[in-house]
Amino acid sequence: SAVISQKPSRDICQRGTSLTIQCQVDSQVTMMFWYRQQPGQSLTLIATANQGSEATYESGFVIDKFPISRPNLTFSTLTVSNMSPEDSSIYLCSVEEGGGYTFGSGTRLTVV
Amino acid sequence: SQKIEQNSEALNIQEGKTATLTCNYTNYSPAYLQWYRQDPGRGPVFLLLIRENEKEKRKERLKVTFDTTLKQSLFHITASQPADSATYLCALSGGGADGLTFGKGTHLIIQP
């Protein structure tokens, strides 16, 4: 199965700043998915990133807050912009493989 | 709106017994139902996928059932071991590569 490298693994950021999370896959994939896991909650899909096109955002998530890049078939970034303490979460990227999904180990973000 | 409920936040089972976890959903007609294992500080790991036209799927000590009439899946771990202790997540997808909708998970504790 695919191996996903996600970084940073954790960060503590000041409110009002932005953080870019990187996700590298060891094989070419058409779609990459970004999720958020808030404390005590389950994973919520933020957006789907296709190479060469705009990302598709789920209800409640907007491009200005969570801009996504997908420059090639093995890499994607998610930026959390103008952060507030409510953005403190674990952010995970994921790829689909034959029905099941493989996840990165996540980025634990704390906004102070 | 779509809703996924997993039977309990925590489940304690004696080692060697069968652990049974429940996933119920509403307002959804999934093409696939999937189960994932998540350990603290890690991303979810794919365990099993079952399609809407399948009743049961097995993999080693794991068994999943899927009842689309009851809108319910049962996840069984037989001959449970302390190493099976983790959070188990139920997830639904509509097919294709459209991302997953997750339940909140059940924290399973296998006691020696």
Side-chain angles (χ1 to χ4, degrees):
Chain A
S1 60
V3 175
I4 300 177
S5 300
Q6 188 174 338
K7 59 182 181 182
S9 58
R10 58 179 62 227
D11 208 341
I12 301 173
C13 300
Q14 296 290 323
R15 66 181 68 198
T17 63
S18 298
L19 176 72
T20 296
I21 301 166
Q22 299 180 6
C23 195
Q24 178 78 50
V25 190
D26 69 346
S27 58
Q28 294 184 340
V29 293
T30 304
M31 290 182 175
M32 295 178 73
F33 302 87
W34 287 97
Y35 291 83
R36 179 175 74 181
Q37 188 171 27
Q38 294 178 301
Q41 303 297 313
S42 193
L43 287 82
T44 301
L45 182 64
I46 297 172
T48 303
N50 257 334
Q51 192 266 334
S53 63
E54 290 271 329
T56 303
Y57 289 82
E58 298 298 306
S59 176
F61 299 96
V62 296
I63 188 171
D64 290 346
K65 177 66 176 176
F66 298 101
I68 288 172
S69 77
R70 185 77 204 276
N72 57 53
L73 291 173
T74 64
F75 187 79
S76 179
T77 67
L78 170 77
T79 299
V80 186
S81 303
N82 189 24
M83 289 184 283
S84 67
E86 292 70 36
D87 294 319
S88 298
S89 287
I90 299 172
Y91 293 85
L92 301 108
C93 63
S94 175
V95 301
E96 187 269 342
E97 293 187 281
Y101 289 72
T102 299
F103 287 81
S105 55
T107 297
R108 182 180 293 272
L109 171 62
T110 302
V111 183
V112 297
Chain B
S1 62
Q2 300 164 2
K3 192 172 180 182
I4 302 173
E5 289 187 353
Q6 295 191 238
N7 58 323
S8 57
E9 288 191 7
L11 188 63
N12 284 270
I13 299 291
Q14 199 70 32
E15 181 178 6
K17 303 291 186 184
T18 296
T20 298
L21 285 63
T22 305
C23 175
N24 294 286
Y25 60 92
T26 57
N27 298 326
Y28 204 104
S29 295
Y32 305 99
L33 187 145
Q34 307 186 23
W35 285 89
Y36 288 79
R37 169 181 173 143
Q38 188 173 26
D39 292 283
R42 311 294 292 269
V45 174
F46 172 72
L47 296 175
L48 278 170
L49 174 154
I50 187 164
R51 293 177 173 78
E52 60 179 337
N53 61 349
E54 297 176 316
K55 297 293 184 186
E56 182 178 300
K57 196 71 96 50
R58 292 175 185 260
K59 179 183 175 183
E60 297 173 353
R61 294 185 295 112
L62 309 180
K63 185 178 85 171
V64 172
T65 64
F66 192 13
D67 189 326
T68 55
T69 301
L70 291 178
K71 295 186 183 293
Q72 181 181 78
S73 174
L74 299 179
F75 176 77
H76 306 272
I77 304 175
T78 58
S80 59
Q81 306 165 1
D84 295 325
S85 299
T87 296
Y88 290 86
L89 304 170
C90 169
L92 306 179
S93 70
D98 58 356
L100 295 169
T101 301
F102 280 90
K104 289 181 69 171
T106 297
H107 182 47
L108 177 65
I109 301 166
I110 306 299
Q111 295 175 332

